[in-house]
Amino acid sequence: MGVRITGIGIVSAIGLTVEENLNALNESRTGIGQVAFLDAGRDLLVGEVKVSNTDLKNTLSVGAGNISRTSLLGLKAAREAWGQNKHSEKIRTGIISATSVGGMDRTEVFYKDYLAQSDPNFRLLKTHDSGSTTERIAAELGISGYINTLSTACSSSANAIMLGARLLLQGRLDRVLVGGSDALTKFTIDGFHSLMIYDDQWCRPFDESRSGLNLGEGAAFLLLESEKSIEFSGNRTICHVSGWANAADAYHQTASSPEGTGATLAIKNAIKKSGKSLNEISYVNAHGTGTKNNDLSESVALKNVFGDYVPPFSSTKAFTGHTLAAAGAIEAVFSVLSIQNQLIYSNLNFKDVIFETGLVPVTDLKKGQSVHTVLSNSFGFGGNNSSLVFTDHL
Amino acid sequence: MFYISAASTISHQPTFQNAGFSGMIVPLAAESILISPDYKRFIEAGLLRRMSKILRMSVACSKDCLEQAGVEQPDAIVVGTGLGCLQDTEKFLNHSITIEGLLPPTSFIQSTHNTMAGQISLSIGNHGYNMTHTQNSLSFEHALQDAMLLLTEGENDILAGAADEYIEILTEISCHLNVYPRSPLTSAASFFLLSSKEKSGTLAQIKDVATFGLVNSIPDTILALLAENETNADALDLVLFAGNISNDLTIAGVDPDKSLDYKNLSGIYPTASAFALHYAVDRMQQDKSIRNVLICNALIKSNLGLTLLQAIEA
């Protein structure tokens, strides 16, 4: 079982297109740097998309009107994934996006003026709700009918991919654009600082000295198609989504369980669903945020599932920053690129193994690898854990 | 088939643990308030203190629903919310703008849309599928559809529901955006246990749930859904609707005497169609002549949600 992926699109701190992202991954070049576009009110390291809202609006020809950065980034990636595809009445096309902040970037502008009683623009709030960010992307692409938004914190867009695959398999849709988008906001930056898990230095996933994450922003979309849709589009299949699972950790509102309960269930069930055996997993694109808690819990889960034979794994968060709801889709695109280009990415900024688990991630880019099956993990706040399996064959 | 095994609602009406409420409620007055149960019966005191309105409502309804159905662990928890945890979102936004230095994290932690589903899983120790849909006025229908996909995939019992909370700034915002709602803005949560098999206490069955974003023709869409389900407008015993669509319903052949604007009863919040579902199910228990019900949610007119219900065979 599985569904075909026929298009991908991405915008992140390391590039505005699939090609730019691939180049940066190939050069092990991070996109994290000092905050430059957002007025965060403090110095900090972030994975910003290196384009202003004005330039994004111009590039996308959406006019100068009120639109959230979350919608702009999402539209940029969605257009690339959609490509030159055409609409047809016979092909039921849907869109599922994921976001955690929605139009919070605009709401912050409003609320600051509102508190200062300096003529706040209430119209900015029309883009606040998460659903409206997806509706805007759908409207620009001419998609109507099934338009949905998921919000499960850091696992949101992995769930969008999963839901899209399920809708295709049950014949509710023929074609669906799935992914997610999140813009950087002061709200989330202050939020992760309040939790004391924002690292003022470079984030160091899976390193013993890790002390938190660097936030990022971005968007990614994948086009999933059924056989019927492929007959119409003639699109070439570039990869498959073959396995998926979602499980609740039910341990703590923000922290992951030390036993990795939810993560273990998600990984195990996704691989089971894919029909692959454990030793067929060529690469694990880990969630690996760089927080003490996540990386330990995820390492324990990997050992729970794979025992002494944990496959090559790395976190790409040190390239992009943690892009929250967009992370699952961004890393899904990286997983597809890994299979297409036979690459295993470097886990940047790693020095020392985590004492409790002793797991060593891939520390140098590996080229010419035999990569056929990739596991991608996305674990969120609130105990929302999801894993996906991508393969080059069914 | 998809069966509703239990339903629970906390709202501005006396809906909670009050079977037969549909026969006694009247349209909401402008100054109505949320009718809260004694939450301590459902939520541990320490936890309760930190919980916002939307979280209390969601956890209490969920537990009540599971108790009614006699199900300890559902296979999945699926929640729809249009605007999420507004109280904590506004609180943290305020802190973030006005306080220098380290902020208290609780309101940030409880600001994310998945907090309800997360807190429900925590409160009952559930490790199943856990999802949150947020598509403004269609969030609940999307959650229902997801639950139905899960039942088709072989799961047995799904806890599916919706919640939204009112905060004061919403009234100010609607004035400034020139929206003057004719019904009060309210808070509510409704949860349902959806099952793949009929049980002794089964309330009704869901024939179909469909969502149409950026919808073209409301009458055509309704007619197509009825046709797909091999029924027609004449067979409908009750049509619950929200939004300015009386004309569309007439064009679709719906008898105006059988239709009822549910937002007069529920008040306005993005997931008010969940109130309508509970109301419909309750009416069906009271009046066995009501066998086929359609809920037409056009609270935001560009987005149409349709839910088709049928009574259980006697």
Side-chain angles (χ1 to χ4, degrees):
Chain A
M1 272 228 267
V3 301
R4 297 164 182 275
I5 302 170
T6 61
I8 51 176
I10 183 169
V11 48
S12 77
I14 56 171
L16 304 180
T17 61
V18 170
E19 198 188 346
E20 287 182 18
N21 274 269
L22 180 59
N23 288 342
L25 290 167
N26 248 318
E27 294 161 11
S28 296
R29 173 162 45 82
T30 182
I32 297 175
Q34 270 298 327
V35 65
F37 292 88
L38 179 80
D39 176 14
R42 60 168 103 210
D43 283 344
L44 81 164
L45 291 168
V46 289
E48 274 183 303
V49 172
K50 314 292 185 286
V51 196
S52 70
N53 285 347
T54 311
D55 288 347
L56 274 170
K57 285 182 189 178
N58 288 337
T59 314
L60 294 165
S61 312
V62 290
N66 180 33
I67 178 169
S68 68
R69 187 168 172 86
T70 305
S71 281
L72 290 169
L73 297 173
L75 182 58
K76 177 87 179 69
R79 279 219 181 123
E80 187 182 22
W82 179 251
Q84 302 300 314
N85 279 288
K86 309 243 175 326
H87 286 289
S88 159
E89 279 188 7
K90 291 183 190 136
I91 304 295
R92 293 163 301 166
T93 304
I95 180 168
I96 308 167
S97 185
T99 182
S100 65
V101 298
M104 181 58 84
D105 60 307
R106 306 279 79 211
T107 303
E108 286 177 351
V109 173
F110 159 82
Y111 205 77
K112 204 174 169 185
D113 291 338
Y114 176 77
L115 287 180
Q117 297 186 316
S118 68
D119 192 21
N121 179 1
F122 281 83
R123 295 182 60 80
L124 292 180
L125 296 174
K126 289 187 139 185
T127 63
H128 174 82
D129 88 272
S130 302
S132 79
T133 62
T134 310
E135 273 167 18
R136 182 64 192 257
I137 298 168
E140 294 288 344
L141 292 173
I143 296 172
S144 60
Y146 192 92
I147 300 171
N148 193 9
T149 309
L150 300 177
S151 196
T152 56
C154 315
S155 63
S156 304
S157 55
N159 285 328
I161 296 168
M162 185 181 315
L163 180 61
R166 292 166 58 220
L167 284 161
L168 288 196
L169 283 180
Q170 290 203 27
R172 304 285 298 207
L173 290 173
D174 303 310
R175 176 170 65 176
V176 60
L177 204 50
V178 293
S181 177
D182 255 339
L184 266 175
T185 63
K186 189 167 161 16
F187 187 90
T188 37
I189 289 168
D190 287 349
F192 284 96
H193 271 106
S194 79
L195 290 165
M196 295 193 276
I197 53 172
Y198 203 113
D199 199 332
D200 292 327
Q201 308 169 57
W202 304 97
C203 67
R204 299 174 298 285
F206 295 107
D207 188 90
E208 176 64 21
S209 77
R210 72 199 180 283
S211 68
L213 50 77
N214 304 141
L215 279 183
E217 64 179 351
F221 278 90
L222 301 90
L223 186 63
L224 309 182
E225 288 189 76
S226 69
E227 303 292 328
K228 181 184 166 195
S229 179
I230 297 250
E231 268 176 43
F232 165 76
S233 68
N235 286 335
R236 191 175 66 89
T237 300
I238 57 175
C239 212
H240 302 266
V241 192
S242 322
W244 50 83
N246 165 314
D249 199 34
Y251 172 72
H252 184 270
Q253 185 54 32
T254 53
S256 307
S257 59
E259 311 80 33
T261 312
T264 303
L265 276 171
I267 295 170
K268 202 185 273 178
N269 292 341
I271 296 173
K272 189 175 160 204
K273 178 105 191 158
S274 74
K276 299 291 166 194
S277 54
L278 292 176
N279 60 19
E280 285 178 279
I281 306 293
S282 337
Y283 166 54
V284 180
N285 186 292
H287 187 55
T289 57
T291 64
K292 284 271 176 218
N293 180 241
N294 174 81
D295 295 6
L296 178 60
S297 177
E298 186 170 9
S299 298
V300 170
L302 287 171
K303 291 186 87 166
N304 287 345
V305 175
F306 293 100
D308 292 337
Y309 302 95
V310 175
F313 73 97
S314 64
S315 159
T316 45
K317 295 287 194 297
F319 283 88
T320 58
H322 187 359
T323 57
L324 302 178
I330 283 177
E331 287 156 29
V333 168
F334 290 172
S335 299
V336 171
L337 291 175
S338 159
I339 291 171
Q340 278 186 316
N341 299 283
Q342 305 289 285
L343 290 174
I344 294 181
Y345 314 119
S346 161
N347 187 106
L348 305 178
N349 307 337
F350 174 85
K351 277 205 194 91
D352 300 310
V353 293
I354 296 175
F355 177 73
E356 293 96 324
T357 55
L359 288 183
V360 183
V362 172
T363 51
D364 293 300
L365 176 75
K366 289 189 176 180
K367 295 186 178 185
Q369 300 295 302
S370 167
V371 183
H372 300 287
T373 306
V374 175
L375 170 76
S376 178
N377 292 335
S378 295
F379 304 141
F381 233 66
N384 279 135
N385 298 306
S386 291
S387 293
L388 301 170
V389 176
F390 298 93
T391 55
D392 58 1
H393 58 285
L394 281 182
Chain B
M1 275 306 195
F2 314 106
Y3 297 95
I4 300 176
S5 310
S8 180
T9 295
I10 293 172
S11 68
H12 285 226
Q13 298 277 10
T15 42
F16 193 67
Q17 295 188 330
N18 188 18
F21 73 86
S22 61
M24 57 183 87
I25 62 176
V26 294
L28 284 179
E31 63 281 4
S32 71
I33 55 161
L34 182 70
I35 303 178
S36 301
D38 179 10
Y39 286 118
K40 288 197 288 294
R41 281 164 49 214
F42 303 94
I43 305 163
E44 186 257 313
L47 213 53
L48 184 60
R49 264 197 306 278
R50 287 194 296 273
M51 281 186 172
S52 61
K53 191 159 58 178
I54 195 170
L55 295 178
R56 295 170 174 210
M57 295 190 299
S58 300
V59 173
C61 284
S62 295
K63 286 197 170 171
D64 176 40
C65 213
L66 292 171
E67 248 170 57
Q68 283 180 42
V71 169
E72 257 179 50
Q73 290 296 344
D75 299 310
I77 297 166
V78 189
V79 177
T81 181
L83 289 167
C85 303
L86 286 178
Q87 196 178 312
D88 281 311
T89 300
E90 192 189 21
K91 191 171 174 187
F92 192 75
L93 190 55
N94 195 315
H95 286 172
S96 147
I97 292 170
T98 57
I99 302 178
E100 295 281 330
L102 199 63
L103 310 176
T106 306
S107 56
F108 177 66
I109 292 168
Q110 298 190 153
S111 72
T112 58
H113 284 62
N114 61 331
T115 313
M116 286 78 80
Q119 288 284 357
I120 298 165
S121 77
L122 263 177
S123 70
I124 60 172
N126 187 278
H127 295 288
Y129 178 95
N130 193 281
M131 192 66 85
T132 302
H133 297 254
T134 177
Q135 193 57 46
N136 52 57
S137 60
L138 297 182
S139 307
F140 176 58
E141 283 82 349
H142 277 296
L144 275 185
Q145 279 186 330
D146 192 359
M148 287 157 68
L149 290 176
L150 290 164
L151 292 175
T152 308
E153 286 160 7
E155 302 291 8
N156 295 313
D157 293 301
I158 313 295
L159 182 65
D164 269 296
E165 67 184 352
Y166 170 79
I167 55 172
E168 277 181 17
I169 196 176
L170 289 181
T171 301
E172 201 178 340
I173 293 168
S174 45
C175 284
H176 279 273
L177 295 178
N178 293 319
V179 185
Y180 296 100
R182 269 175 279 175
S183 305
L185 302 177
T186 51
S187 304
S190 295
F191 278 79
F192 303 88
L193 193 80
L194 302 185
S195 307
S196 56
K197 293 185 183 70
E198 193 175 336
K199 304 181 182 196
S200 60
T202 295
L203 301 168
Q205 53 177 314
I206 300 182
K207 291 280 285 181
D208 205 353
V209 177
T211 56
F212 306 90
L214 308 174
V215 67
N216 268 329
S217 160
I218 290 176
D220 289 353
T221 309
I222 293 173
L223 289 171
L225 179 106
L226 293 174
E228 259 174 53
N229 287 283
E230 294 169 350
T231 184
N232 56 58
D234 292 338
L236 297 173
D237 304 304
L238 176 66
V239 176
L240 298 172
F241 70 95
N244 187 16
I245 57 166
S246 302
N247 282 341
D248 300 279
L249 292 175
T250 311
I251 297 168
V254 170
D255 181 350
D257 292 339
K258 289 180 179 167
S259 58
L260 177 76
D261 185 345
Y262 63 79
K263 70 183 189 323
N264 293 332
L265 300 170
S266 62
I268 296 177
Y269 59 98
T271 49
S273 57
F275 180 100
L277 179 59
H278 193 177
Y279 177 84
V281 164
D282 193 72
R283 279 280 294 268
M284 290 162 98
Q285 307 313 300
Q286 307 305 311
D287 181 351
K288 295 295 176 193
S289 73
I290 300 177
R291 302 198 47 77
N292 298 292
V293 181
L294 180 67
I295 301 169
C296 295
N297 166 13
L299 194 61
I300 295 175
K301 212 175 172 183
S302 58
N303 293 338
L304 181 67
L306 297 175
T307 304
L308 189 61
L309 300 174
Q310 201 172 56
I312 300 299
E313 296 301 328

